[in-house]
Amino acid sequence: MKILVTGSSGLIGSALISTLTEQGHEVKKLVRTDPASGQDEVHWSPESGSIDKGGLEALDAVVHLAGENIASGKWTPEKKARIRDSRVEGTRLLCETLAQLERPPKVSVCSSAIGFYGDRGDAAVDEAAFSGSGFLPDVCQEWEEATGSAAEAGIRVVNLRIGVVLSPDGGALAKMLPPFKMGSGGKLGNGKQYISWIALDDVVGVINHVLSQDGLHGPVNAVSPQAVTNSELTKTLGRVLNRPTVFGMPAFMVRSVFGEMADEMLLVSTRVEPARLSETGYTFQYPDLEVTLRHLLGK
């Protein structure tokens, strides 16, 4: 297939493009910089609302992963505006443009996040659950609604609600490794909050899966079937690294250090089930946390 990827330089985008290329697909990148000579790149500027419409013709599929990093720095009003606009306005621009093409793609896989569900305590939720309350749930809801123009134009749209992606090359695990390797890692808050995670290899596998499932559209949870608590994650990572995990951080300290992000990302409990992936026969490569961590860390 001819597939356009946004967010191509990110953790997921880089891994996805490598796999798609190995599979023989033709990959184009939607980039903010001037297209490089000899590279199959298409320019866009979500900030100014411009996009090279001609470069989007005759695509078979689009995988939209672009968005401001939500975990880099405190959430100032300016940072929150960038988080929202990069997702909502960027997605709206892309989907409205796809809807206007003479030869639009058959499918568009647009990233979302399990932040859609908000804090749910111990309750398990699947794709049928309503959205939570707070900044991230509101952003995720607007983010998914911004794909409406593409769906109305007959494009099969999948809203991929991605969980905590585990990889030593980026994201949460990469930030956890230094203190845990030094033996100073520990649980956050009371450690009872659920974390719905997924190995990077499975994120790529899930995207491949939804691209090929013609009947699959709407929200799809991209999470392992085995959510764990923060305490379980902490103990498992310590065991894999053979390090103690006694230096926890109480909730008040997490809030002091991370501000609003603490209650929206670090102390929130979201126990998500991948119901639609199970229904459509996706087989996880890494459903078990300890096996996953040992694979990722070579332990």
Side-chain angles (χ1 to χ4, degrees), residues 135-147:
F135 172 66
L136 284 184
D138 289 348
V139 167
C140 289
Q141 190 166 8
E142 287 188 76
W143 194 2
E144 294 183 11
E145 289 173 352
T147 65

Side-chain angles (χ1 to χ4, degrees), residues 2 30 41 57 60 62 76 93 100 125 136 141 175 210-211 226-227 238 251 296:
K2 181 181 288 187
L30 194 62
E41 297 180 343
E57 289 285 1
D60 296 301
V62 171
T76 63
L93 171 64
Q100 297 167 5
V125 295
L136 284 184
Q141 190 166 8
K175 292 184 177 182
V210 299
L211 284 172
Q226 299 179 22
L296 293 173

Side-chain angles (χ1 to χ4, degrees), residues 184-234:
S184 58
K187 67 183 181 182
L188 299 179
N190 62 20
K192 295 180 180 179
Q193 66 271 32
Y194 273 90
I195 297 172
S196 295
W197 60 276
I198 183 170
L200 178 59
D201 289 347
D202 271 316
V203 179
V204 174
V206 166
I207 293 173
N208 261 312
H209 176 76
V210 299
L211 284 172
S212 66
Q213 294 289 313
D214 291 340
L216 193 56
H217 60 87
V220 173
N221 292 333
V223 294
S224 161
Q226 299 179 22
V228 297
T229 64
N230 179 263
S231 287
E232 290 170 331
L233 173 60
T234 297

Side-chain angles (χ1 to χ4, degrees), residues 11-12 162-168 173 196-206 222-225 282 284-289 291-293 295-296:
L11 180 67
I12 299 174
I162 303 173
V164 177
V165 180
L166 296 186
S167 167
L173 181 59
S196 295
W197 60 276
I198 183 170
L200 178 59
D201 289 347
D202 271 316
V203 179
V204 174
V206 166
V223 294
S224 161
Y282 179 74
F284 283 86
Q285 301 173 66
Y286 298 100
D288 179 83
L289 179 62
V291 172
T292 301
L293 290 175
H295 161 70
L296 293 173

Side-chain angles (χ1 to χ4, degrees), residues 5-272:
V5 177
T6 80
S8 57
S9 62
L11 180 67
I12 299 174
S14 299
L16 176 65
I17 288 175
S18 177
T19 297
L20 292 176
T21 303
E22 289 174 2
Q23 292 172 340
H25 299 296
E26 180 182 343
V27 178
K28 301 182 76 171
K29 302 175 184 178
L30 194 62
V31 298
R32 288 177 169 82
T33 56
D34 290 333
S37 177
Q39 298 294 316
D40 211 349
E41 297 180 343
V42 180
H43 181 261
W44 76 325
S45 174
E47 296 79 11
S48 64
S50 64
I51 190 168
D52 178 5
K53 184 177 177 181
L56 305 183
E57 289 285 1
L59 295 169
D60 296 301
V62 171
V63 181
H64 177 40
L65 302 169
E68 173 83 8
N69 188 334
I70 65 174
S72 61
K74 279 195 173 183
W75 286 0
T76 63
E78 294 77 17
K79 174 71 171 180
K80 289 171 70 175
R82 291 197 302 272
I83 289 172
R84 179 201 172 275
D85 291 348
S86 66
R87 286 161 172 77
V88 178
E89 301 307 329
T91 299
R92 181 174 291 118
L93 171 64
L94 176 60
C95 288
E96 287 180 350
T97 305
L98 294 177
Q100 297 167 5
L101 297 177
E102 292 184 13
R103 294 171 292 173
K106 294 180 179 178
V107 56
S108 179
V109 180
C110 294
S111 62
S112 180
I114 59 169
F116 175 92
Y117 301 108
D119 193 347
R120 296 303 180 93
D122 294 340
V125 295
D126 63 16
E127 290 89 349
F130 54 85
S131 66
S133 59
F135 172 66
L136 284 184
D138 289 348
V139 167
C140 289
Q141 190 166 8
E142 287 188 76
W143 194 2
E144 294 183 11
E145 289 173 352
T147 65
S149 54
E152 291 168 5
I155 300 170
R156 178 170 67 89
V157 174
V158 176
N159 303 109
L160 206 60
R161 294 175 181 167
I162 303 173
V164 177
V165 180
L166 296 186
S167 167
D169 298 323
L173 181 59
K175 292 184 177 182
M176 293 171 69
L177 284 175
F180 272 77
K181 285 180 176 179
M182 291 188 295
S184 58
K187 67 183 181 182
L188 299 179
N190 62 20
K192 295 180 180 179
Q193 66 271 32
Y194 273 90
I195 297 172
S196 295
W197 60 276
I198 183 170
L200 178 59
D201 289 347
D202 271 316
V203 179
V204 174
V206 166
I207 293 173
N208 261 312
H209 176 76
V210 299
L211 284 172
S212 66
Q213 294 289 313
D214 291 340
L216 193 56
H217 60 87
V220 173
N221 292 333
V223 294
S224 161
Q226 299 179 22
V228 297
T229 64
N230 179 263
S231 287
E232 290 170 331
L233 173 60
T234 297
K235 291 175 183 176
T236 304
L237 182 55
R239 186 164 59 249
V240 170
L241 294 173
N242 195 27
R243 293 290 188 275
T245 56
V246 296
F247 295 96
M249 184 181 288
F252 78 86
M253 189 178 296
V254 179
R255 294 187 177 100
S256 174
V257 173
F258 296 99
E260 184 180 354
M261 188 197 307
D263 287 308
E264 292 265 359
M265 289 184 63
L266 303 176
L267 301 174
V268 67
S269 183
T270 313
R271 187 178 185 180
V272 181

